[in-house]
Amino acid sequence: MQRLGVLTSGGDSSGMNAAIRAVVRKAIYHGREVMGIMRGYNGLIEGDLQPMNLGSVADIIHRGGTILHTARSELFKTPEGRAKAFASMQRFGLQGLIVIGGDGSFRGALQFSQEYNIPVIGIPGTIDNDIFGTDYSIGFDTAVNTVVDAINKIRDTATSHERTFIIEVMGRDSGWIALTAGLAGGAETILIPEKPLSIDELCDKLMRGYKRGKLHSIIIVAEGAASGLEVGRQIKEKTGFDTKVTILGHLQRGGTPTAFDRNLASRLGAAAVDLLLAGESGKMVGVISGRVVATDLQQAVQKNQLIDLDMYTLADILSI
Ligand code: F6P
């Protein structure tokens, strides 16, 4: 394999640039060529590719977002879109593809690989941390640190005004960001889709704290569990507490990647190149218990990384 392509797809996450850098530099180290594909699969369909060299990935290790830009391609879900993408692969002489993204992007990669017999390797990049086959996906740690920073700041004002604060965080159907940031931020309650809690139970807990003299509370709501605004409205109605809601939204997706995400991205980017050059295909690289491992993409898209319920119980015990 002499020339490979790399693209980022789906929601961006901090550390994707570090992964692109690792892919490009490891491939060049092995004497191979890399083409950067713009805007995910859309760029492949449209033939929007650019040759990458050592300099193309200089000064990006610390930058959030993705220099290749990203998209959720609807066209790539169609046979016509994938046929055009294959035509571009041939036109640009690409013999393998590295896809940095989440499970939706991997589903597309797998189908493309099977239809056209193209070697494909996936690198998990999503703040949601919901990918099977890796303990962490690129961008999750940065997002968690952003949320913890927000909790710290909100805690100051929550204490001063003796208020109840709801902080809604991202994660789609996953509670990983809410749970990890909630435990680190000392949140009183964490609502996650994997462990439903009724508003009555939540209000009972708040009231118990209030009776013990707790005058402010922070509640983290994963977007997949409930609407932060709605939870805030109901708490206010049932308890009468002065309640405010903050929705963190897309600021969780940007910012300079943490050292953890940069190192994860660098290791996974390099490992993806090694796998492709070793003749592997249909795999995703991940980190399990600190070691880089490869998992079948088929498995990665079929299963979800399960939430750590022990962590949830601990967060509950410590927030009493
Ligand atoms: O998958 C990453 C993610 O940030 C989710 O947490 C969130 O639900 C979704 O993307 C938001 O997507 P968009 O940027 O298209 O609004």
Side-chain angles (χ1 to χ4, degrees):
M1 180 173 307
Q2 184 51 33
R3 185 179 294 169
L4 54 99
V6 59
L7 60 82
T8 47
S9 167
D12 61 351
S13 65
S14 291
M16 281 183 162
N17 279 329
I20 296 166
R21 172 179 177 271
V23 167
V24 170
R25 292 200 169 165
K26 190 73 188 288
I28 292 174
Y29 170 81
H30 286 301
R32 305 311 206 275
E33 295 165 55
V34 183
M35 301 285 292
I37 301 160
M38 299 304 295
R39 289 171 285 102
Y41 295 116
N42 284 345
L44 195 55
I45 292 167
E46 293 156 15
D48 190 359
L49 287 78
Q50 55 193 38
M52 309 288 280
N53 56 38
L54 293 176
S56 342
V57 290
D59 292 330
I60 64 167
I61 196 166
H62 62 297
R63 282 171 52 195
T66 157
I67 58 164
L68 295 177
H69 298 195
T70 185
R72 295 191 171 98
S73 176
E74 285 304 316
L75 204 48
F76 195 68
K77 292 182 184 157
T78 67
E80 298 75 34
R82 291 192 297 279
K84 284 187 181 161
F86 179 61
S88 294
M89 294 280 300
Q90 288 188 307
R91 182 149 61 95
F92 288 93
L94 299 184
Q95 291 140 347
L97 191 61
I98 293 181
V99 173
I100 308 170
D103 53 358
S105 309
F106 292 163
R107 248 173 236 117
L110 196 58
Q111 191 164 12
F112 190 48
S113 164
Q114 287 164 351
E115 277 173 1
Y116 292 100
N117 196 25
I118 288 167
V120 161
I121 302 292
I123 300 177
T126 166
I127 64 167
D128 299 343
N129 206 38
D130 56 350
I131 309 283
F132 179 82
T134 188
D135 291 344
Y136 302 103
S137 54
I138 297 165
F140 168 66
D141 185 66
T142 305
V144 165
N145 278 285
T146 299
V147 175
V148 171
D149 185 47
I151 296 173
N152 294 342
K153 287 174 175 154
I154 285 175
R155 186 176 286 288
D156 288 343
T157 179
T159 313
S160 306
H161 283 264
E162 300 176 351
R163 278 174 168 159
T164 299
F165 265 88
I166 314 296
I167 304 177
E168 184 189 299
V169 303
M170 277 187 169
R172 205 180 289 274
D173 304 319
S174 153
W176 271 107
I177 295 178
L179 178 56
T180 312
L183 177 61
E188 272 65 32
T189 305
I190 305 167
L191 294 189
I192 55 173
E194 298 88 345
K195 183 87 179 153
L197 188 76
S198 72
I199 290 290
D200 285 339
E201 288 171 300
L202 171 55
C203 291
D204 285 349
K205 188 173 177 193
L206 286 177
M207 288 309 292
R208 283 198 301 277
Y210 179 74
K211 284 179 187 146
R212 280 199 329 275
K214 200 173 235 188
L215 298 176
H216 65 274
S217 290
I218 292 184
I219 297 154
I220 308 297
V221 178
E223 65 173 346
S227 143
L229 284 171
E230 186 53 24
V231 171
R233 193 190 62 75
Q234 292 195 35
I235 289 177
K236 202 171 193 168
E237 193 179 283
K238 286 182 189 291
T239 63
F241 291 162
D242 187 4
T243 307
K244 299 283 175 183
V245 180
T246 301
I247 299 171
L248 294 183
H250 286 81
L251 68 83
Q252 295 160 94
R253 286 247 292 268
T256 188
T258 58
F260 181 91
D261 271 329
R262 297 181 201 193
N263 288 343
L264 177 69
S266 300
R267 292 174 76 196
L268 296 186
V273 171
D274 288 343
L275 276 187
L276 260 191
L277 298 188
E280 294 279 0
S281 177
K283 304 265 183 199
M284 183 199 81
V285 286
V287 162
I288 297 179
S289 302
R291 303 190 74 82
V292 175
V293 291
T295 299
D296 284 339
L297 268 180
Q298 189 75 54
Q299 273 203 309
V301 300
Q302 273 169 357
K303 302 182 183 179
N304 266 338
Q305 140 132 278
L306 295 179
I307 201 93
D308 185 344
L309 287 178
D310 289 344
M311 211 165 132
Y312 180 86
T313 306
L314 178 64
D316 193 40
I317 291 170
L318 299 186
S319 65
I320 285 296

